[in-house]
Amino acid sequence: DKAQIGVTGLAVMGRNLARNFARHGHTVALHNRTTAKTKALVEEFGDEGAFVATETAAEFVAALERPRRLMIMVKAGPATDAVIAEFAPLLEPGDMIIDGGNAHFADTRRREKALREQGIHFVGTGVSGGEEGALNGPSIMPGGSAESYESLGPLLEDIAAKVDGVPCATHVGPDGAGHFVKMVHNGIEYADMQLIAESYDLLRGAAGLEPAEIAEVFRTWNTGRLESYLIEITAEVLAHTDAATGRPFVDVVLDQAEQKGTGRWTVQTALDLGVPVGGIAEAVFARSVSGHADLRKAAHGLPGPARRATEGSGFADQVERALYASKIIAYAQGFHEIAAGSAEYGWDVDLGAMATIWRGGCIIRARFLNRITDAYRADPAMATLLTDDHFAQALGDAQDAWREVVATAARLGVPTPGFSSALAYYDSLRADRLPAALTQGQRDFFGAHTYRRTDRDGAFHTLWAGDRTEADA
Ligand code: NDP
């Protein structure tokens, strides 16, 4: 029997996706540069379904039914290009190459264009959920042609996570749309994690709670509107005790966070598109700051406030509200970036559908995402999520607590770049007037960059070095 799908690249992700396809009754062709990994997979898990182990590229391609569906799960970057170069000459028009690695969407656009000229569908596909998700149901974000999705979609929807019976997989849009959306998903994930980390830091540093007590706070929050995978695992991590020392696990881990790059891409791309994603940027920078041991060591003795641990029992509720409000901001910024990318590249991404496929399988899965789907269903052209009835009300209800928490953090010297920047974004968007008018005056003064007026159309320049009369520019 020919295989419905083939997976090349059998490290943790590829191996688990292959098993997931097989467990759903599909015949899966297997290939890996190092053939021992292919053999090991069949030896260990061969009884889970129908696998066709192959060694050479030619054998692998020959094992696939037509149109061929060949999924690449190799290390993102040059390896992806090497694998495409190896297989593309063996394929025929109508065949599909599915790249499930974390590729940059610009690389995906380039690869899609090159392969389209050969009549091959290149489907850059975001896959979220880590190795556990790959095996038991990830969130899947495929780009590429609508035609490819007709044949590929049912397979992907089979193996994806399901929420209320709805698969967490849908066609995102042409060429790089899938990898773009996966990138922004990861950027939002950074922001979510940072906001949770700041909540923990405040509960500890300002309210004086111990990690085990904070775990209980998060467990309670997880029964309400903040219910999500990240809040759930936060409680687990905080409740964990280090076996070697008997101390809270979180106290024995080095406080320097690492990153692989998708958060950074989200921010770089936002800068290119002119989209303000301060909350996501602060999350990326917060990891960067944590990793600068040299700077932190140099600055360690600088003075801070004398007062610590003074907040009372109502403080946790205030933090919950600040967290929910800041989370709304981070998602609003991420969805703005997706809307901008979709407009720039002509992808026509259904924003509500993105929230739907993130409800399960992926790292940011949360009850909250239903609200985003509802918001875009009610008004697909909404300029920002913040003005949706539910979110506007939540922000309004939260704002006093949110301001109190940011003020407390500043007073006590607890760094909260996520909460603070989210609040500043909220206040910037709702402001009557921004000081950007002054910025324009400065720009015109030193660089004759001109300005527009509130009362008349056109561009103007003031003769700052002369008699300060105004001229049409
Ligand atoms: P790795 O990123 O560690 O990649 C290892 C695989 O790539 C191996 O199969 C390896 O083959 C193959 N490979 C590397 N270089 C080449 C090359 N030049 N030619 C052919 N094959 C090569 O594996 P993961 O399973 O962690 O991730 C796979 C992809 O999925 C990556 O793009 C990753 O970004 C993405 N991803 C990972 C997630 C995760 O949680 N880990 C989540 C979502 C996406 P060999 O065995 O011969 O060395």
Side-chain angles (χ1 to χ4, degrees):
D1 272 12
K2 296 263 181 178
Q4 280 85 53
I5 189 138
V7 180
T8 182
L10 301 173
V12 285
M13 289 297 289
R15 140 197 290 243
N16 282 354
L17 282 172
R19 292 172 59 199
N20 191 347
F21 280 118
R23 287 174 174 191
H24 281 85
H26 303 290
T27 302
V28 186
L30 302 173
H31 179 271
N32 193 63
R33 177 180 60 181
T34 309
T35 55
K37 270 194 199 155
T38 315
K39 289 201 190 81
L41 198 169
V42 176
E43 267 163 35
E44 246 178 287
F45 305 107
D47 57 355
E48 291 185 357
F51 296 105
V52 184
T54 69
E55 293 199 354
T56 68
E59 276 171 35
F60 182 53
V61 168
L64 297 170
E65 70 173 28
R66 296 221 50 212
R68 300 186 181 87
R69 301 178 202 90
L70 188 162
M71 186 157 193
I72 305 179
M73 288 308 297
V74 302
K75 200 170 169 58
T80 308
D81 285 309
V83 171
I84 292 170
E86 185 181 5
F87 288 102
L90 306 175
L91 298 179
E92 292 169 89
D95 288 350
M96 288 157 245
I97 297 181
I98 304 117
D99 176 18
N102 270 332
H104 191 286
F105 76 97
D107 286 330
T108 302
R109 283 169 59 76
R110 166 177 62 78
R111 291 166 183 151
E112 195 275 340
K113 185 163 180 286
L115 287 163
R116 199 189 325 138
E117 281 159 18
Q118 271 179 256
I120 295 169
H121 298 282
F122 183 72
V123 186
T125 302
V127 180
S128 178
E131 51 180 303
E132 203 273 335
L135 183 61
N136 297 317
S139 174
I140 311 181
M141 296 153 252
S145 66
E147 192 190 335
S148 65
Y149 195 78
E150 281 174 28
S151 146
L152 179 64
L155 270 89
L156 297 181
E157 292 179 14
D158 256 5
I159 67 156
K162 311 281 184 306
V163 176
D164 305 331
V166 179
C168 296
T170 193
H171 183 232
V172 174
D175 61 78
H179 275 140
F180 187 97
V181 164
K182 170 70 196 316
M183 171 187 81
V184 175
H185 163 284
N186 285 25
I188 291 173
E189 174 187 313
Y190 274 59
D192 244 340
M193 292 171 68
Q194 174 63 21
L195 295 170
I196 291 172
E198 290 177 16
S199 302
Y200 152 75
D201 210 18
L202 281 163
L203 292 173
R204 194 143 192 206
L209 300 182
E210 290 304 315
E213 295 171 311
I214 301 172
E216 280 311 313
V217 172
F218 277 100
R219 270 190 199 118
T220 309
W221 289 355
N222 202 38
T223 62
R225 60 187 178 172
L226 283 168
E227 178 191 328
S228 61
Y229 173 70
L230 282 171
I231 295 279
E232 179 192 328
I233 66 163
T234 300
E236 297 282 328
V237 173
L238 286 173
H240 184 57
T241 302
D242 175 55
T245 60
R247 293 171 56 200
F249 168 79
V250 73
D251 286 350
V252 299
V253 176
L254 190 67
D255 60 347
Q256 297 181 21
E258 303 197 358
Q259 49 185 312
K260 277 192 178 168
T262 42
R264 186 171 63 235
W265 290 349
T266 308
V267 179
Q268 286 170 333
T269 303
L271 290 171
D272 291 340
L273 291 169
V275 179
V277 295
I280 298 171
E282 288 296 352
V284 174
F285 283 133
R287 290 199 196 181
S288 170
V289 166
S290 80
H292 276 284
D294 49 345
L295 298 190
R296 293 175 59 190
K297 188 157 175 249
H300 183 64
L302 292 175
R307 207 157 62 92
R308 297 292 282 184
T310 54
E311 297 304 311
S313 58
F315 188 63
D317 283 337
Q318 290 186 319
V319 174
E320 191 271 348
R321 273 180 266 179
L323 175 56
Y324 191 64
S326 302
K327 182 179 166 99
I328 294 171
I329 300 293
Y331 280 70
Q333 292 176 349
F335 275 83
H336 182 195
E337 181 164 352
I338 296 175
S342 178
E344 172 74 16
Y345 299 107
W347 288 329
D348 198 21
V349 175
D350 177 344
L351 299 169
M354 296 308 102
T356 301
I357 64 171
W358 290 347
R359 291 184 308 164
C362 65
I363 306 298
I364 64 172
R365 61 185 182 257
R367 181 203 280 202
F368 166 82
L369 287 157
N370 281 321
R371 296 286 187 182
I372 297 182
T373 305
D374 292 346
Y376 281 112
R377 289 282 174 268
D379 181 5
M382 186 169 43
T384 170
L385 275 174
L386 305 191
T387 55
D388 165 74
D389 287 347
H390 169 78
F391 293 127
Q393 172 146 21
L395 290 164
D397 290 348
Q399 61 132 358
D400 284 341
W402 195 7
R403 294 181 196 288
E404 207 44 57
V405 167
V406 169
T408 301
R411 223 172 24 247
L412 299 184
V414 178
T416 52
F419 283 172
S420 308
S421 91
L423 182 57
Y425 180 85
Y426 175 72
D427 283 333
S428 296
L429 288 194
R430 51 165 217 92
D432 276 341
R433 293 273 295 160
L434 289 173
L438 176 59
T439 309
Q440 282 299 83
Q442 294 166 324
R443 294 181 69 240
D444 190 58
F445 191 106
F446 66 68
H449 291 302
T450 77
Y451 50 88
R452 284 173 294 150
R453 296 181 56 101
T454 57
D455 53 358
R456 272 178 283 142
D457 283 342
F460 301 91
H461 169 57
T462 288
L463 301 171
W464 296 103
D467 63 2
R468 307 211 164 174
T469 53
E470 184 175 80
D472 287 326

